[in-house]
Amino acid sequence: MEKIHLKIDKIKYQGVSWLIMLPGIVLFSFFVWWPLLQSVRMSLYRTVNIQLVEFIWFDNYLTIFRRTEFIQALFNTLSYTMWSILIGFLIPIFLALIIGETVKARGLVRTAAYVPNILPGLAAIILWTAVFSAGETGVLNILLSHLGFDRQSYLTEEHLVIPLIVSVATWRGAGATALIYMAGLAGINPQLYEAATIDGAGIWKRLRYVTIPGIFNLGSTLLILQIIAIFQIMFEPMLLTAGGPNNASMSLMLLMWQYAFGGGTMEFGRASAVAVIIALILLVFTALYSIVNKRKVDWE
């Protein structure tokens, strides 16, 4: 009899748990899974505007794989990812360490680091457009001219445009990410630093053997989230360069938008195919992260 009561209590507990999760599951399904499934379906059709006209299997995928702008956009997106890891991943960690070591006016420094994150996106892009402007009023050109450098058009240089766009995106988000790292650093036991100092460890050894292991799990999670975010970059290259020069800053998300809305042809089937490809690539990254993270946990 007692076992029956335990089973009933367990069923009630699970039922209440599912009822609590049900609104979130419904909303997640409606706003995430349903659009994703519709994108997969649309990618298999020839479309006129958003109307499904003819089922053509994988012709949309084969067509975009043959297009040079897709190969260029894929290469550019991987380049965005590489530069984002080099710039956007390391700077917030460095910024968090600097803020953490600041003794005076720490709150002011923390607020100043976070301010770019609260600026409206369009205002931030207009600001950086003025900075990189090739004209006489370009802020960067004015500053460099005092150092004897010639005026340049930075956003029209193919080898500079992606690092500059990543720098702009990093400037906007580094402060918020640094605050997350600061929370992770605050969770490290101070006694570990004291023990390392007593053992004669300098700042670099404390960083290597105490700080980095202490925020490794947090850093790996933020890394995969950053890769997912940078793979979907569209706003910055759209407004700063419109994908130019010569598609040098064209990302997969911007290409998807151009297929759907930019060229006047409204190729929603091909745009959906690009969206599905992006989702599959990100799924692979996420799976690799899960495998590596699981192996690390098993080793520990």
Side-chain angles (χ1 to χ4, degrees), residues 22 58 68 81 92 130 153 158 195 273 296:
L22 185 60
F58 299 104
T68 56
T81 304
S153 179
E158 295 185 11
K296 181 180 180 298

Side-chain angles (χ1 to χ4, degrees), residues 24-43:
I25 294 173
V26 171
L27 291 174
F28 188 82
S29 300
F30 182 77
F31 288 107
V32 177
W33 287 108
W34 179 251
L36 179 60
L37 293 175
Q38 288 298 310
S39 295
V40 174
R41 181 188 178 206
M42 186 174 285
S43 69

Side-chain angles (χ1 to χ4, degrees), residues 85-139:
I85 293 173
L86 293 177
I87 299 175
F89 181 67
L90 296 178
I91 286 181
I93 299 176
F94 180 75
L95 189 59
L97 294 173
I98 293 296
I99 297 175
E101 294 296 326
T102 302
V103 177
K104 297 182 179 180
R106 179 180 296 182
L108 179 62
V109 175
R110 188 183 304 175
T111 303
Y114 189 75
V115 164
N117 193 261
I118 65 177
L119 288 177
L122 182 58
I125 295 300
I126 293 174
L127 171 66
W128 283 102
T129 301
V131 171
F132 295 131
S133 175
E136 296 180 356
T137 58
V139 176

Side-chain angles (χ1 to χ4, degrees), residues 34-285:
W34 179 251
L36 179 60
L37 293 175
Q38 288 298 310
S39 295
V40 174
R41 181 188 178 206
M42 186 174 285
S43 69
L44 301 175
Y45 280 81
R46 182 173 63 84
T47 60
V48 176
N49 294 330
I50 60 172
Q51 301 297 320
L52 306 182
V53 177
E54 180 185 359
F55 184 72
I56 56 175
W57 290 96
F58 299 104
D59 284 1
N60 285 324
Y61 294 91
L62 296 176
T63 300
I64 62 175
F65 274 121
R66 294 191 193 103
R67 291 191 172 184
T68 56
E69 67 266 21
F70 173 79
I71 303 301
Q72 181 70 45
L74 178 60
F75 175 80
N76 290 343
T77 304
L78 294 174
S79 183
Y80 277 117
T81 304
M82 180 195 71
W83 281 106
S84 178
I85 293 173
L86 293 177
I87 299 175
F89 181 67
L90 296 178
I91 286 181
I93 299 176
F94 180 75
L95 189 59
L97 294 173
I98 293 296
I99 297 175
E101 294 296 326
T102 302
V103 177
K104 297 182 179 180
R106 179 180 296 182
L108 179 62
V109 175
R110 188 183 304 175
T111 303
Y114 189 75
V115 164
N117 193 261
I118 65 177
L119 288 177
L122 182 58
I125 295 300
I126 293 174
L127 171 66
W128 283 102
T129 301
V131 171
F132 295 131
S133 175
E136 296 180 356
T137 58
V139 176
L140 190 56
N141 276 329
I142 293 174
L143 294 175
L144 292 179
S145 64
H146 292 293
L147 300 176
F149 292 96
D150 295 331
R151 185 190 309 162
Q152 296 187 45
S153 179
Y154 300 97
L155 295 178
T156 60
E157 298 289 339
E158 295 185 11
H159 65 286
L160 289 177
V161 64
I162 289 181
L164 290 178
I165 292 174
V166 171
S167 299
V168 171
T170 301
W171 174 81
R172 287 198 63 207
T177 307
L179 295 182
I180 298 175
Y181 278 116
M182 286 186 63
L185 291 172
I188 300 176
N189 191 343
Q191 294 179 354
L192 296 176
Y193 288 105
E194 294 175 3
T197 303
I198 292 173
D199 290 340
I203 184 172
W204 294 112
K205 287 189 176 181
R206 293 199 301 270
L207 180 66
R208 177 181 177 184
Y209 294 107
V210 180
T211 304
I212 292 179
I215 62 172
F216 181 84
N217 290 333
L218 174 63
S220 60
T221 301
L222 291 178
L223 175 61
I224 190 63
L225 292 177
Q226 180 170 328
I227 291 175
I228 292 173
I230 202 66
F231 235 86
Q232 301 176 70
I233 190 170
M234 184 183 77
F235 186 71
E236 289 84 357
M238 177 190 291
L239 295 180
L240 281 173
T241 62
N246 298 322
N247 289 334
S249 61
M250 178 72 67
S251 67
L252 286 175
M253 285 292 291
L254 183 54
L255 180 65
M256 181 193 71
W257 182 88
Q258 287 194 352
Y259 280 159
F261 305 106
T265 56
M266 293 190 174
E267 299 174 339
F268 282 96
R270 292 173 185 173
S272 297
V274 175
V276 172
I277 291 171
I278 295 173
L280 291 175
I281 293 174
L282 293 179
L283 185 62
V284 170
F285 277 125

